[in-house]
Amino acid sequence: MSTIIPGPDGRPRCRWCAAAPEFLAYHDTEWGHPVGDDHRLFEKLSLEAFQSGLSWRTILAKRENFRRAFAGFDFDRIAAFTEQDAAHLLADQGIVRHRGKIEAVINNARRAQAIVAEFGSLAAFIWRYEPTADAVAAPQTASTSAASIALSKELKKRGWRFVGPTTVYAFMQAMGLINDHVEGCVIRAEVERSRMAFRKPA
């Protein structure tokens, strides 16, 4: 089976973006483009955790609800959430009501604050794990990597939850630490240009 499929404009794209109507815009404008914003990075780590055992379509459909519920994924605000806040989230039908995952986001927000205190930003810490070109598997052939395993291990060591190597790999694909658009996908070249222009956080 081909790894690419023609989009509505006739240009080739990764086959997965045809699986649901809402995937096309996400594939074209977000997935793989490098991100250096702390809140967006924290959001994606959080949403990948919520996706565990579910489909990305489910999470993407609820993303605006998640953003509202979790203060725009401002981890300084989330870190101050109380037990009462957690209870309100558990009653929120607009998000995935999973106690362990909700509590993990609150916990991880506090862990993110510690990383910022040490490294200056969450982005500076995360981008230390960008793999070299020779360490990247062929596009969409892997679900983990040495880099995702290393980042997962370090996050867990620092007290983060729901950050296994597969979750972290999906995060790295989406946030542009690797370009996992398949060869032939028209967006692959766009993402590569974005990556080349991206100023790596220091």
Side-chain angles (χ1 to χ4, degrees):
M1 181 184 292
S2 174
T3 56
I4 58 173
I5 192 167
D9 58 4
R11 299 191 300 167
R13 289 172 171 80
C14 299
R15 174 170 287 276
W16 66 260
C17 76
E22 57 269 35
F23 283 178
L24 182 65
Y26 175 71
H27 168 274
D28 283 7
T29 64
E30 294 187 54
W31 196 73
H33 288 278
V35 173
D37 178 80
D38 276 10
H39 292 167
R40 283 191 61 200
L41 291 167
F42 185 75
E43 172 185 288
K44 187 58 175 172
L45 275 170
S46 301
L47 294 181
E48 288 294 345
F50 272 105
Q51 186 193 345
S52 179
L54 301 170
S55 72
W56 175 241
R57 185 178 189 180
T58 297
I59 302 303
L60 188 58
K62 295 176 179 287
R63 185 165 64 170
E64 290 305 320
N65 294 335
F66 277 111
R67 287 171 172 168
R68 171 188 48 75
F70 284 99
F73 288 97
D74 179 340
F75 47 78
D76 287 321
R77 293 176 63 188
I78 297 169
F81 279 15
T82 63
E83 287 289 336
Q84 186 176 17
D85 292 318
H88 287 153
L89 290 167
L90 277 167
D92 189 336
Q93 296 184 19
I95 66 171
V96 174
R97 294 178 292 173
H98 183 292
R99 179 180 293 277
K101 294 175 182 179
I102 289 170
E103 291 178 349
V105 172
I106 298 170
N107 167 77
N108 293 350
R110 295 163 184 162
R111 306 290 79 78
Q113 287 182 312
I115 285 176
V116 172
E118 183 176 349
F119 293 92
S121 69
L122 181 60
F125 170 79
I126 292 290
W127 278 90
R128 293 165 69 238
Y129 291 87
E130 179 190 15
T132 57
D134 61 355
V136 177
Q140 298 176 38
T141 62
S143 58
T144 63
S145 67
S148 79
I149 291 168
L151 178 52
S152 169
K153 183 176 181 180
E154 184 61 24
L155 288 170
K156 288 178 180 178
K157 181 180 174 182
R158 291 171 177 271
W160 289 60
R161 303 176 195 161
F162 282 93
V163 286
T166 301
T167 293
V168 170
Y169 190 76
F171 162 81
M172 295 174 84
Q173 288 175 302
M175 297 288 97
L177 280 84
I178 59 174
N179 182 356
D180 225 28
H181 287 273
V182 295
E183 297 291 345
C185 172
V186 68
I187 305 302
R188 180 175 175 83
E190 293 184 18
V191 164
E192 204 52 45
R193 286 192 293 271
S194 294
R195 281 174 46 79
M196 290 180 68
F198 181 67
R199 288 191 64 183
K200 193 171 175 179

